[in-house]
Amino acid sequence: MGPMYFGRERLAIAGCLTPEGRPLVATGGHDGVLRLWEPETGGLVHALPVGAPINALLTMDGLLVIGSRDGLIALER
């Protein structure tokens, strides 16, 4: 999947699971805020400021990896 855009802003997006197995959608962009969304309702579950624009999101082995100009942040589920 190529980049997604919200207005003129590029948006990073990835699917992830909570420790209980509930699916969520993670998004991030220029504002430096990681947002977790409920895919069925579109409701915002949580917003986490990371302090730098988010350029990429990746999930692997129970981790959500956030890529920014300053490096990588890995969040364990």
Side-chain angles (χ1 to χ4, degrees), residues 3-77:
M4 299 192 67
Y5 291 87
F6 179 72
R8 295 185 345 206
E9 180 183 339
R10 183 175 179 192
L11 185 67
I13 186 168
C16 57
L17 296 173
T18 67
E20 299 81 27
R22 186 176 85 175
L24 296 175
V25 175
T27 63
H30 182 72
D31 66 356
V33 178
L34 173 70
R35 291 179 175 85
L36 300 175
W37 304 90
E38 168 61 48
E40 298 228 357
T41 65
L44 181 64
V45 175
H46 191 73
L48 175 68
V50 298
I54 298 171
N55 299 323
L57 292 170
L58 170 73
T59 56
M60 58 186 240
D61 298 329
L63 294 176
L64 175 61
V65 180
I66 303 165
S68 77
R69 67 172 185 246
D70 298 330
L72 300 174
I73 301 168
L75 301 175
E76 189 173 17
R77 65 176 169 131

